[in-house]
Amino acid sequence: MADTIPLGGAVVGDPQMKPFAIARSWLLGLSLVLGLELPAWAGCGFPRGEGKTFFSLQPEVYQPRTRFDQKGRLQQALSEYGETRLNLFAETGLSDQLTLNLNTSYVFIENRFASGADTVTQRNQGLRDLELGLRHTWGEGDPFFSAQLTALIPPGYATENTPLPLGYGVFGYDFSLGAAANVELGSLPAFFDSCLTFRDYLGYPGDRLKANLTFGADLSPEVQAIVALDGDFTLGNGAPLLFGDVAVQDPDYDSLKLSGQLNWRLEGGLTLGLGGFQFLTGRNTNAGGGFTGYVWLSY
């Protein structure tokens, strides 16, 4: 692993470098987190059902100290980056085939790095993009198939004039295809859910292809285990967001993330969960992992 960098052509503590240049490669990975804000399983292929509603409140802590370079090699991070996020997801069944959903999060982000003899600390907080989606599901039983169109609505924060932006600041959309089925793992009730998403921002960020595979099983009537694999890949047609002459967001990245959780079902449609995640591979983005919790309410 290397601790001299790379993208700016300078090393940690170089008094000649610009204040934000040392954090450049770390901030390039910020866009990874932007695209991964759904709960570990909110369903992509399954219908919600007419009149049924689901809420998820999910806190998440992510403090990576490693990153993947442009060739996918793991190296030590050049700064101390941290993100704490509170994600809100909700969906309701408009009919047995149509499901309306909403996803957003409030984040606290901090980046700390050395610049000469000084330590520079950057902070920002606020809402991420609002994602408003409509899903149509086909099938009378297992398997189910679905298609969803999602609008990506920025909260209105400036992105060009900050070294630590909260998002891309432009409108966009997702088009997703899903497949899901109830299955069995031995004698245990289980489910399989999958989703393939094309994401297009109506601005500088490049188009992306995102994929999810999720498998869950009921270990008992009260305890459920879920494992998910998420991929996020560039289609190579974007350009970075610049702060002066320093790139603070770059859509040219790829990642593969493994996550898992255990859920405890309580009375009244309430579910509590704990989980964690780890980035298995990547390119030009953050590495490491973090932990998360879940409060689900369905009725």
Side-chain angles (χ1 to χ4, degrees), residues 25 28-29 31-32 67-74 208 232-237 250-256 279-287:
S25 63
L28 294 180
S31 53
L32 166 67
R67 69 180 309 274
F68 298 108
D69 68 10
Q70 188 67 34
K71 295 184 178 180
R73 297 169 299 195
L74 193 65
R208 309 200 60 78
D232 191 359
F233 310 101
T234 179
L235 295 182
N237 59 348
D250 191 343
D252 181 28
Y253 69 89
D254 305 301
S255 69
L256 186 65
F279 290 100
L280 303 178
T281 62
R283 183 185 59 83
N284 197 32
T285 192
N286 293 332

Side-chain angles (χ1 to χ4, degrees), residues 52-281:
K52 295 183 179 179
T53 300
F54 172 85
F55 291 97
S56 170
L57 191 63
Q58 176 188 348
E60 183 176 290
V61 177
Y62 182 45
Q63 295 179 330
R65 294 298 176 258
T66 55
R67 69 180 309 274
F68 298 108
D69 68 10
Q70 188 67 34
K71 295 184 178 180
R73 297 169 299 195
L74 193 65
Q75 62 180 209
Q76 187 174 352
L78 296 174
S79 61
E80 296 182 2
Y81 175 79
E83 176 169 327
T84 301
R85 178 170 65 213
L86 185 61
N87 182 215
L88 172 65
F89 177 85
E91 69 177 20
T92 186
L94 303 180
S95 71
D96 286 339
Q97 289 78 38
L98 284 177
T99 302
L100 179 68
N101 53 58
L102 179 147
N103 183 61
T104 191
S105 59
Y106 195 92
V107 295
F108 302 85
I109 51 180
E110 179 177 287
N111 195 52
R112 181 177 297 136
F113 58 92
S115 179
D118 299 324
T119 298
V120 177
T121 300
Q122 306 163 331
R123 294 187 180 92
N124 204 352
Q125 63 175 294
L127 284 174
R128 285 270 169 83
D129 289 356
L130 177 69
E131 303 179 9
L132 184 63
L134 185 64
R135 182 170 72 249
H136 189 282
T137 306
W138 293 268
E140 298 299 328
D142 301 319
F144 293 98
F145 300 95
S146 71
Q148 175 165 315
L149 186 63
T150 303
L152 309 177
I153 306 169
Y157 301 125
T159 57
E160 293 84 358
N161 301 316
T162 174
L164 205 58
L166 292 171
Y168 291 124
V170 296
F171 288 88
Y173 68 90
D174 285 347
F175 178 71
S176 304
L177 297 175
N182 292 297
V183 295
E184 289 187 354
L185 180 63
S187 60
L188 300 179
F191 74 88
F192 169 80
D193 193 80
S194 62
C195 195
L196 183 65
T197 300
F198 170 74
R199 171 165 288 191
D200 180 20
Y201 286 102
L202 307 179
Y204 77 90
D207 298 335
R208 309 200 60 78
L209 193 65
K210 302 162 71 68
N212 169 269
L213 297 174
T214 301
F215 182 81
D218 290 350
L219 306 182
S220 73
E222 296 81 19
V223 179
Q224 180 188 55
I226 295 178
V227 177
L229 189 65
D230 290 278
D232 191 359
F233 310 101
T234 179
L235 295 182
N237 59 348
L241 174 68
L242 300 178
F243 180 73
D245 59 354
V246 175
V248 292
Q249 290 192 53
D250 191 343
D252 181 28
Y253 69 89
D254 305 301
S255 69
L256 186 65
K257 182 183 77 167
L258 178 67
S259 59
Q261 66 185 83
L262 281 176
N263 297 329
W264 289 266
R265 296 188 180 102
L266 305 176
E267 296 181 356
L270 182 64
T271 298
L272 302 180
L274 290 174
F277 58 91
Q278 178 73 33
F279 290 100
L280 303 178
T281 62

